[in-house]
């Protein structure tokens, strides 16, 4: 598997699947979630509402992942995952790893070969960017037993400080 990290806008990535750092409501929010919903357009929100009415009426649990079509994004699919919120006491790194693991598993189920991932929980959810980078890279590399047929994983990071953390984790 090819693993890389770039500084950029996840909504412009030419990949099969973009991972959304969603909130449990699946109905949009701030940060990556808001950017993806804005760029994807109303089609994405309509699909997320259908998921809430059918599969996830209580919202998507932390560490879980689910897919929708990508609306107006250049990707085919959006894989939504809910990261742990450190400010609410969700401090278990395994819960964070589950976000990356489940996102890759859902991408596999879709047949996606290329995936763009954000730094889940490194923003408003209060996780240290270094810890997120370490957990994300280890999970994607399969060091925790994660198996995937995804051929390319691209961590797409908004800020220079987060990019540096992921570059360090990839070089380790």
């Amino acid at each position: 598997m090819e693993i890389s990290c770039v500084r950029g806008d996840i909504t412009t990535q030419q990949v099969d699947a973009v991972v959304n750092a969603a909130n449990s409501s699946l109905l949009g929010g701030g940060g990556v979630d808001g950017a993806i919903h804005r760029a994807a357009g109303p089609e994405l929100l309509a699909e997320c509402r259908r998921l809430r009415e059918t599969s996830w009426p209580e919202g998507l649990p932390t560490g879980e992942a689910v897919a929708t079509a990508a609306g107006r994004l250049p990707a085919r699919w959006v894989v939504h995952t809910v990261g742990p919120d450190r400010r609410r006491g969700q401090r278990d790194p395994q819960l964070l790893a589950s976000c990356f693991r489940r996102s890759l598993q859902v991408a596999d189920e879709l047949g996606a070969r290329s995936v763009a991932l954000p730094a889940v929980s490194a923003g408003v959810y209060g996780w240290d960017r270094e810890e997120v980078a370490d957990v994300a890279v280890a999970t994607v590399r399969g060091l925790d037993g994660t198996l995937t047929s995804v051929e390319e994983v691209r961590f797409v990071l908004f800020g220079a400080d987060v990019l540096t953390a992921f570059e360090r984790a990839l070089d380790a």
Side-chain angles (χ1 to χ4, degrees):
M1 171 193 314
E2 179 185 335
I3 304 171
S4 63
C5 55
V6 298
R7 185 172 179 190
D9 179 350
I10 200 164
T11 68
T12 64
Q13 299 300 302
Q14 299 283 333
V15 292
D16 294 329
V18 169
V19 174
N20 179 19
N23 63 52
S24 64
S25 77
L26 296 174
L27 302 178
V32 170
D33 193 22
I36 287 175
H37 271 269
R38 283 189 300 278
E43 301 89 351
L44 181 61
L45 183 57
E47 282 207 47
C48 288
R49 283 189 172 134
R50 276 192 293 280
L51 282 173
R52 286 299 306 273
E53 292 169 2
T54 57
S55 305
W56 301 103
E58 303 298 318
L60 190 66
T62 302
E64 187 53 75
V66 66
T68 62
R72 299 176 186 163
L73 295 174
R76 291 180 63 192
W77 301 287
V78 175
V79 176
H80 308 267
T81 191
V82 179
D85 188 340
R86 196 167 187 84
R87 298 168 308 144
R88 292 187 181 171
Q90 297 174 327
R91 300 171 187 271
D92 183 358
Q94 289 305 312
L95 198 52
L96 180 61
S98 180
C99 294
F100 296 102
R101 182 181 316 106
R102 286 293 300 134
S103 293
L104 290 176
Q105 289 168 342
V106 169
D108 269 340
E109 293 165 10
L110 295 168
R113 293 293 167 249
S114 57
V115 177
L117 283 160
V120 175
S121 291
V124 299
Y125 282 9
W127 281 71
D128 176 75
R129 62 184 167 264
E130 301 286 338
E131 186 171 10
V132 170
D134 290 341
V135 168
V137 169
T139 303
V140 168
R141 283 186 170 150
L143 300 178
D144 68 347
T146 298
L147 300 175
T148 182
S149 297
V150 171
E151 297 168 358
E152 178 193 358
V153 170
R154 184 181 315 150
F155 290 105
V156 181
L157 310 156
F158 191 72
D161 54 345
V162 180
L163 176 63
T164 299
F166 273 78
E167 288 173 336
R168 183 204 47 78
L170 278 174
D171 289 341

